[in-house]
């Protein structure tokens, strides 16, 4: 993509000898917006980056394998990571946005990173591949999504690169997500489009209900597409917004598909709620239910667990109004087992890798969609032995 | 125990040929109090029993293997279960308290139960063993706790029998629990003592964060101990309350130990919170964290996951004040890794079946204790194939 170059190499923080330090360098300083973890226990990089992106950014530095948090030296180490890089590149510390991901409470091996800077800088190229590998931790695959469209006669691109597989909950970004665009766009328009995109993508997925200390989603706009600046009231704004949302949603789904140990992508659509808040509350409760998630892993059409999860979601509801469909088959009608429900047929339909659940509360007009994964033996395997 | 007899046989609702229908019959009508599921999707037996225990109860009927809920005929079936028994026993329907537990959304085979009533009634004896088996579903062992004490010169007994292994969350009773006492006690005193006991036992445990449609905890007092009636201001009230709480807490811990697939009982003590509500919120978030629970299964001293869970609990807190101890070893001091923390030593201490976690927020005086289990391969095994 025009306006941004990438690098990624092995510096030795991750044990698996995969790239663990990455750079994105902008041809022109990029305006940036971000959404950050709501966890009260935050890595220093969260606050530092949140502050720095108020001004244009020249470089994004990502370190994976260590979250650099809950350690007395974490703040100093984080600042050192960025000041050493700034010196090498001849830019200001404050022009670097930075993110870290990995284990909590182990000191960041800053030396390893700093020693790698010369090789890292030498490897800068147009390919985003080394960078997208450097961003991952327990991810089984790299997460990249791209869209292009025209604003007037100028082609605009949006490229998203992210990581996330565990500690994924519908509460803020809950992952690292970096979106790059060459669009010329006002800060206000970029911010509005991004907030909306995040709300309807990264904030609507759940793998295990945990959220991390380091989550952030950042968008960078370099303006190198030379289009007329997009403003919130431009004709091009809606097109930009739609494409940005699609990139975010594609990445969000990839995270769920890659949910640690996951074998299925489960879409949970809640309809007929009184308010969006109610709809989200129900979707989130079902999406996080261990019993629902294990049932789908077992391909067991156990819709009772969905009803039980809906019932405990805490919103006011009338059980006798609720309809539930799984794989487009009615399983619950007005709170009871649907007439003609064919359990064998549904069981067979549950073999699919994509599962659709529609819960209609028949109690209003608000609607939402969440994505979750099933809960499997491999989730336990990955997470019980994460560090050992 | 004086004043109550039991029965339990196989009627064929459960597939495993274990007792699945049970009776407790009181020599004298017992006053009863209860705590019921807060799930909006409730089995008919919940409402029926809640209503009936306002008056003295002669018989408790428990059916396991079928929850009798989310089925159009569930209410009629539940009433039929009790009216057929009332006829056999020559008592009123309303003198029967009833509970059901098991799969949701499958019609209760009422015929099997009713056909079994004559044999069930013939088998009534002083032994609670057949009844305690009849109460279980996925439980690996039966849950019975008993205490005796003196009120004046009269010996008083409290016997608790319950079930619970999955769908256990710190939100209401979340299981079936039946407590029997021969104490003569006023309804007000019994109710006060029971509410408090439930709050500090059954409502402080978590296996998987799910809550069921059928949960109830009931206490029955027959007065057959012939003691002077205990009132809220009697000297004996505190002794009764203390013993009742101990019975409830023992049963609650048994449920966690028997948490589906669990290998460890984890005690999470939260201290130094501004309010009890804050303390509970933190304890509940840590107790329900899949990442914390899998780490303990893996005997991995990954305290960063505890800090991340505390941070996302949603209460206002100062990370730099938090201390965490695991197995009495300081792992976090003022928000950072504790000096002298010996990871190898802690790893070895995590081999224990009982784990203690103390989180001090150092931000107030409120304190609470929660109990949870680890999350294991066997949880997935049990729950992915529950019905198939």
């Amino acid at each position: 993509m025009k306006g941004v170059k990438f690098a990624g190499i092995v510096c030795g923080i991750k044990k698996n000898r995969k790239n663990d330090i990455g750079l994105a360098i902008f041809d022109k300083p990029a305006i940036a917006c971000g959404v950050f973890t709501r966890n009260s226990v935050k890595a220093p990089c969260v606050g530092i980056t949140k502050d720095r992106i108020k001004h244009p950014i020249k470089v994004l530095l990502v370190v994976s394998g260590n979250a650099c948090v809950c350690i007395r030296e974490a703040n100093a180490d984080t600042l050192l990571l960025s000041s050493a890089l700034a010196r090498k590149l001849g830019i200001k510390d404050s022009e670097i946005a930075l993110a870290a991901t990995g284990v909590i409470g182990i000191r960041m091996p800053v030396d390893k990173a700093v020693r790698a800077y010369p090789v890292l800088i030498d490897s800068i190229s147009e390919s985003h591949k080394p960078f997208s590998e450097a961003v991952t931790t327990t991810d089984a695959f790299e997460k990249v999504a791209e869209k292009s469209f025209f604003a007037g006669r100028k082609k605009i691109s949006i490229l998203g690169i992210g990581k996330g597989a565990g500690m994924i909950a519908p509460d803020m970004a809950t992952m690292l997500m970096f979106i790059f665009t060459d669009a010329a766009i006002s800060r206000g328009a970029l911010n509005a489009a991004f907030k909306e995109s995040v709300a309807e993508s990264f904030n609507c997925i759940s793998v295990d209900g945990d959220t991390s200390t380091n989550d952030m989603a950042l968008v960078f706009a370099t303006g190198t597409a030379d289009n007329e600046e997009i403003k919130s009231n431009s004709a091009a704004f809606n097109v930009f917004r739609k494409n940005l949302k699609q990139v975010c949603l594609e990445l969000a789904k990839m995270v769920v598909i890659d949910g640690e140990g996951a074998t299925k992508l489960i879409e949970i659509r809640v309809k007929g709620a009184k308010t969006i808040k109610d709809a989200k509350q129900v979707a989130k409760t079902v999406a996080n239910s261990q019993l629902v998630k294990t049932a789908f892993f077992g391909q067991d059409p156990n819709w009772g667990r969905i009803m039980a999860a809906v019932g405990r979601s805490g919103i006011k509801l009338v059980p006798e109004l609720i309809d539930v469909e799984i794989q487009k088959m009615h399983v619950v009608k007005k709170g009871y087992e649907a007439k003609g429900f064919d359990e064998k047929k549904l069981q067979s339909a549950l073999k699919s890798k994509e599962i659709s659940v529609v819960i209609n509360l028949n109690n209003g007009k608000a609607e939402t969609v969440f994505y979750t994964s099933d809960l499997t033996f491999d989730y336990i395997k990955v997470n019980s032995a994460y560090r050992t």
Side-chain angles (χ1 to χ4, degrees), chain A:
Chain A
M1 203 184 61
K2 271 183 293 181
V4 53
K5 296 191 181 58
F6 298 95
I9 61 165
V10 177
C11 79
I13 299 173
K14 288 200 289 210
K15 288 176 194 161
N16 63 5
R17 304 301 299 166
K18 287 200 169 175
N19 290 355
D20 48 11
I21 188 161
L23 285 185
I25 302 213
F26 307 110
D27 295 351
K28 292 200 320 194
I31 58 162
C33 301
V35 176
F36 300 88
T37 185
R38 285 189 194 133
N39 200 312
S40 299
V41 178
K42 285 183 178 69
C45 62
V46 171
I48 292 169
T49 298
K50 197 170 179 177
D51 204 46
R52 290 183 179 175
I53 60 171
K54 290 173 188 158
H55 304 284
I57 292 294
K58 288 187 177 163
V59 170
L60 165 68
L61 167 68
V62 183
V63 181
S64 68
N66 191 306
C68 201
V69 60
C70 294
I71 288 284
R72 214 172 303 273
E73 303 84 355
N75 192 53
D77 285 348
T78 306
L79 290 171
L80 190 57
L81 274 178
S82 116
S83 62
L85 182 65
R87 250 196 321 276
K88 285 271 172 220
L89 293 170
I91 61 175
K92 289 188 213 157
D93 293 17
S94 62
E95 290 168 327
I96 299 176
L98 72 171
T101 178
V103 66
I104 297 170
I106 303 268
R107 192 157 178 201
M108 170 72 85
V110 177
D111 286 0
K112 286 186 184 172
V114 172
R115 242 182 284 131
Y117 284 163
V119 182
L120 182 69
I121 293 166
D122 274 353
S123 75
I124 290 167
S125 79
E126 308 233 313
S127 161
H128 56 68
K129 179 88 183 68
F131 177 82
S132 57
E133 182 183 312
V135 165
T136 61
T137 53
T138 57
D139 307 61
F141 58 88
E142 290 154 32
K143 292 167 186 72
V144 180
E146 200 162 4
K147 292 262 174 274
S148 291
F149 59 98
F150 279 85
R153 272 183 294 179
K154 299 292 183 182
K155 190 180 153 204
I156 286 179
S157 298
I158 300 177
L159 167 67
I161 297 174
K163 73 135 267 181
M167 264 203 181
I168 302 297
D171 183 17
M172 280 299 299
T174 62
M175 64 205 70
L176 296 185
M177 284 294 161
F178 309 110
I179 320 289
F180 308 97
T181 177
D182 51 11
I185 182 166
S186 74
R187 182 176 285 275
L190 184 65
N191 197 38
F194 195 53
K195 289 273 152 66
E196 185 188 313
S197 293
V198 169
E200 297 181 20
S201 58
F202 307 132
N203 277 353
C204 287
I205 63 174
S206 169
V207 171
D208 56 15
D210 276 289
T211 62
S212 116
T213 51
N214 290 49
D215 303 324
M216 57 175 90
L218 301 174
V219 61
F220 300 92
T222 58
T224 44
D226 263 348
N227 58 302
E228 193 185 325
E229 190 187 61
I230 300 170
K231 299 217 166 89
S232 304
N233 55 2
S234 312
F237 179 64
N238 275 331
V239 189
F240 178 82
R241 193 168 61 167
K242 210 184 99 204
N243 280 278
L244 180 63
K245 202 187 293 181
Q246 272 180 355
V247 167
C248 291
L249 195 58
E250 272 184 36
L251 287 169
K253 285 189 189 180
M254 284 182 209
V255 170
V256 179
I257 291 168
D258 195 14
E260 286 162 349
T263 69
K264 290 179 192 302
L265 172 66
I266 306 163
E267 181 185 283
I268 295 166
R269 186 174 295 272
V270 175
K271 288 174 163 180
K274 276 220 171 91
T275 62
I276 276 283
K277 208 179 147 202
D278 277 6
K280 287 194 181 211
Q281 188 60 27
V282 170
K284 178 178 161 169
T285 308
V286 175
N288 276 330
S289 163
Q290 282 188 31
L291 287 168
V292 169
K293 287 153 72 83
T294 42
F296 280 121
F297 170 56
Q299 305 181 349
D300 177 5
N302 195 336
W303 54 265
R305 292 182 179 176
I306 295 174
M307 285 295 285
V310 172
R312 76 175 162 88
S313 63
I315 70 153
K316 272 196 188 165
L317 54 82
V318 187
E320 291 74 21
L321 290 178
I322 299 171
D323 296 339
V324 179
E325 286 174 41
I326 304 175
Q327 301 297 68
K328 298 196 176 156
M329 297 178 210
H330 291 283
V331 293
V332 176
K333 247 327 204 193
K334 306 275 170 232
Y336 301 117
E337 187 184 49
K339 274 183 192 151
F341 162 56
D342 184 340
E343 183 162 335
K344 282 266 171 329
K345 199 170 149 200
L346 178 53
Q347 202 164 15
S348 161
L350 289 180
K351 287 178 187 154
S352 168
K353 290 203 160 192
E354 299 208 355
I355 305 292
S356 133
V357 176
V358 180
I359 299 160
N360 195 333
L361 304 174
N362 286 307
N363 203 18
K365 288 181 175 174
E367 184 170 337
T368 197
V369 183
F370 262 61
Y371 297 91
T372 191
S373 57
D374 53 346
L375 179 59
T376 71
F377 292 113
D378 281 353
Y379 178 87
I380 310 290
K381 198 165 160 187
V382 171
N383 283 297
S384 61
Y386 178 47
R387 307 195 316 164
T388 46

